[in-house]
Amino acid sequence: MAGPQLPPQTKLVKPKTKRGKRALEKREPKLVEDTKKALLLHGGKVSQVVQDALGSINKLKQGECVRYTRRNDDARPFEAGGEARLEHFARKSDCSLFALANHSKKRPHNIVLGRFYNHQLLDMLEFGIEQHKSIAAFRAAASAVQVGNKPCMAFAGDGFTQVPELKLAKSLLIDFFRGQQVASVNLKGFKHVILVATLDRRLHLRQYAISLKRSGTKVPRVELEEMGPRLELSLRRVQAAAPDVESLAMKQPKTSKKKEKNVSTDLLEGKVARVYVPQQNLDTIALRKTKGSKRERRSSKLEEVAAAAAGVERPAKQARSS
């Protein structure tokens, strides 16, 4: 009789091919994480409003998301055991974020945004879509988001700093739309602005296309034109991360690079360093033996051997005078 099978999350996956080995190496932890991918999927029942909203998120995350269009009746993250389906797709697609769309009489036009840690559900927020206008409905849709462009994100409202649920919403939206983490950005790389305002536990999300015009000075004149999508969201259910899991997810690894002391850079000489040498005692230091002293010791050794063979006792060496 075979033993009990391990659950999927504790199985040790061994690659069978070199391609599989490279794929597993890409999923290993890194000091600088890759761009977070989003999992977009449908629940048991969806409406046209949530389908259009999910399509708008897909355009904003183009190249950084995986979308499933089939129904998933067992994907109910706020119920016990309902997160298993989401975690299965997260492991399969290697996604760190998810957006689940569903529709019911009790919660119409519903969308759930959340995050994974180690392919396990970390935290999530449930929103009701009160109004949606897609990108295609705006004139500035011709300058739609291009792959690799980073958005300029702005949050307006005191709730993002005072209300815990809205603080979580701000962190979640930043993870969703910030794209790849870089040290610096070219000004021409900013093509659109994402503005999120809050009022009475409602989020108003707008996106504007940026156009740089001539101003007669070095600083260009910036003009904004709404390009969609336009979303009006009402906050519903909230599930925050457990404190111990949250601290583990936010832990930063220590880098092995040590700080160099007494090192500076010079425009002419480049890298300049100061070396400290302790005081040395020449009487006890081990100096290098010269070639002449080695020849002298070799000749005295030969004389001793010859005298011993002849039976002549050599006089003892006199002490060196002080």
Side-chain angles (χ1 to χ4, degrees):
M1 183 177 178
Q5 294 184 353
L6 295 174
Q9 62 271 19
T10 58
K11 283 186 178 180
L12 180 62
V13 180
K14 293 184 179 180
K16 298 180 180 179
T17 60
K18 291 185 177 180
R19 183 179 179 182
K21 184 178 180 181
R22 291 195 298 268
L24 290 179
E25 287 176 352
K26 288 182 180 180
R27 297 190 179 190
E28 291 180 353
K30 305 177 182 65
L31 289 177
V32 180
E33 294 289 342
D34 299 331
T35 305
K36 293 184 177 182
K37 292 197 302 181
L39 175 67
L40 311 179
L41 72 165
H42 295 171
K45 184 180 178 181
V46 294
S47 63
Q48 189 62 39
V49 174
V50 292
Q51 285 190 27
D52 295 342
L54 212 60
S56 298
I57 296 175
N58 187 26
K59 288 184 179 180
L60 292 177
K61 292 282 292 180
Q62 57 178 321
E64 300 172 359
C65 63
V66 179
R67 187 175 182 182
Y68 293 98
T69 56
R70 292 186 178 181
R71 293 176 52 178
N72 299 279
D73 297 326
D74 50 351
R76 300 172 181 175
F78 282 96
E79 298 181 7
E83 71 280 356
R85 191 69 172 174
L86 294 173
E87 294 173 354
H88 166 70
F89 284 130
R91 285 189 295 269
K92 181 180 178 181
S93 306
D94 192 22
C95 293
S96 303
L97 307 165
F98 77 91
L100 175 66
N102 51 39
H103 174 74
S104 64
K105 185 177 180 180
K106 186 177 181 181
R107 294 183 178 88
H109 313 308
N110 198 56
I111 187 168
V112 182
L113 304 180
R115 289 180 285 201
F116 297 105
Y117 170 67
N118 197 17
H119 300 150
Q120 303 293 322
L121 188 61
L122 180 64
D123 52 9
M124 55 185 171
L125 290 172
E126 186 181 61
F127 297 99
I129 302 176
E130 297 182 352
Q131 182 184 356
H132 172 257
K133 196 173 182 179
S134 64
I135 296 177
F138 292 88
R139 190 180 63 177
S143 58
V145 186
Q146 298 179 0
V147 178
N149 288 342
K150 288 183 65 65
C152 179
M153 301 190 68
F155 293 85
D158 296 336
F160 290 119
T161 58
Q162 298 176 359
V163 183
E165 292 83 1
L166 295 178
K167 286 182 181 179
L168 180 59
K170 179 181 178 180
S171 173
L172 192 57
L173 291 175
I174 289 176
D175 271 354
F176 246 92
F177 301 118
R178 70 178 174 185
Q180 185 179 1
Q181 298 186 46
V182 293
S184 59
V185 181
N186 190 355
L187 181 61
K188 295 183 179 179
F190 284 122
K191 294 296 183 181
H192 60 289
V193 179
I194 298 178
L195 173 64
V196 185
T198 177
L199 182 64
D200 298 332
R201 292 177 63 88
R202 283 179 170 80
L203 299 183
H204 308 273
L205 191 145
R206 304 287 187 272
Q207 185 174 207
Y208 299 91
I210 300 177
S211 56
L212 303 178
K213 305 293 184 178
R214 292 182 179 180
S215 61
T217 62
K218 293 183 179 180
V219 180
R221 180 168 55 89
V222 180
E223 291 187 358
L224 301 179
E225 185 178 1
E226 191 172 359
M227 58 173 290
R230 181 188 296 175
L231 280 170
E232 304 286 344
L233 305 174
S234 60
L235 187 60
R236 290 176 179 170
R237 290 183 289 181
V238 179
Q239 180 175 320
D244 53 344
V245 181
E246 185 180 9
S247 61
L248 187 62
M250 298 178 64
K251 186 178 180 180
Q252 295 291 333
K254 294 182 180 179
T255 57
S256 59
K257 185 178 180 181
K258 295 183 179 179
K259 183 180 179 181
E260 294 181 332
K261 297 181 179 180
N262 306 318
V263 177
S264 60
T265 55
D266 193 356
L267 295 176
L268 298 178
E269 300 181 2
K271 192 174 183 180
V272 181
R274 180 180 296 178
V275 180
Y276 293 92
V277 180
Q279 186 178 4
Q280 300 178 359
N281 188 0
L282 298 180
D283 295 334
T284 58
I285 193 172
L287 300 176
R288 183 175 178 269
K289 305 297 182 182
T290 60
K291 192 173 182 180
S293 62
K294 292 181 181 179
R295 188 181 298 114
E296 182 181 354
R297 291 198 307 271
R298 193 182 305 113
S299 59
S300 62
K301 186 68 176 178
L302 292 175
E303 290 177 2
E304 291 180 2
V305 173
V312 179
E313 185 178 354
R314 295 185 61 187
K317 292 183 180 181
Q318 297 180 358
R320 186 179 298 178
S321 60
S322 58

